[in-house]
Amino acid sequence: MFSFLKNGGKNKELEILIARIESNVANNYKDAAQEALKKYEDMLARLTENGSLNDKQRGQYEAKLTKYKNRLKEFTHKDQKPYWT
C-alpha cells in the first residue's frame, strides 16, 4: 500500500556520491570525479565495517565501485593527450 515509502534497498549517502560521480563525469570534471570516487570508496568501506548494509546492498555497491574504478582509471588531467600531437 505504501510502496512509495520504501527505500528500495538504497543507501542515501552512497546514492548521493554516485550522482556526484555521474555529474562530474558528464561535465568532464576529472579531478572532482576522482575525489567523489574516493569518497564513495571510503563511505562504502565504513558502512560495510559498521554492518549498515545488508549482503545484497553491499554486493550491488561493490559492483558499482568496480565499474567506476575501471571507468575512471585514466580519467585524469595528467593522462590527457593533447589534440595537436
Side-chain angles (χ1 to χ4, degrees):
M1 182 172 156
F2 293 104
S3 62
F4 63 90
L5 293 176
K6 291 185 179 179
N7 198 5
K10 296 183 178 181
N11 181 282
K12 184 178 179 181
E13 293 128 345
L14 291 175
E15 291 297 322
I16 289 171
L17 289 172
I18 289 170
R20 190 174 297 158
I21 292 168
E22 289 292 335
S23 175
N24 289 327
V25 168
N27 290 309
N28 204 27
Y29 298 150
K30 296 177 180 182
D31 294 336
Q34 293 291 342
E35 182 180 328
L37 178 62
K38 178 67 174 144
K39 287 181 182 178
Y40 176 78
E41 185 174 16
D42 293 343
M43 177 69 69
L44 180 59
R46 192 171 339 122
L47 291 172
T48 301
E49 187 176 299
N50 292 342
S52 300
L53 300 174
N54 62 34
D55 291 338
K56 182 178 178 183
Q57 289 174 319
R58 193 180 80 239
Q60 290 174 343
Y61 286 121
E62 286 175 353
K64 286 182 182 184
L65 176 63
T66 302
K67 179 185 85 168
Y68 284 125
K69 279 185 169 184
N70 289 333
R71 184 175 174 191
L72 300 178
K73 188 179 294 184
E74 294 180 6
F75 194 69
T76 62
H77 288 291
K78 68 178 183 141
D79 293 331
Q80 187 174 357
K81 306 290 186 254
Y83 64 89
W84 59 85
T85 60

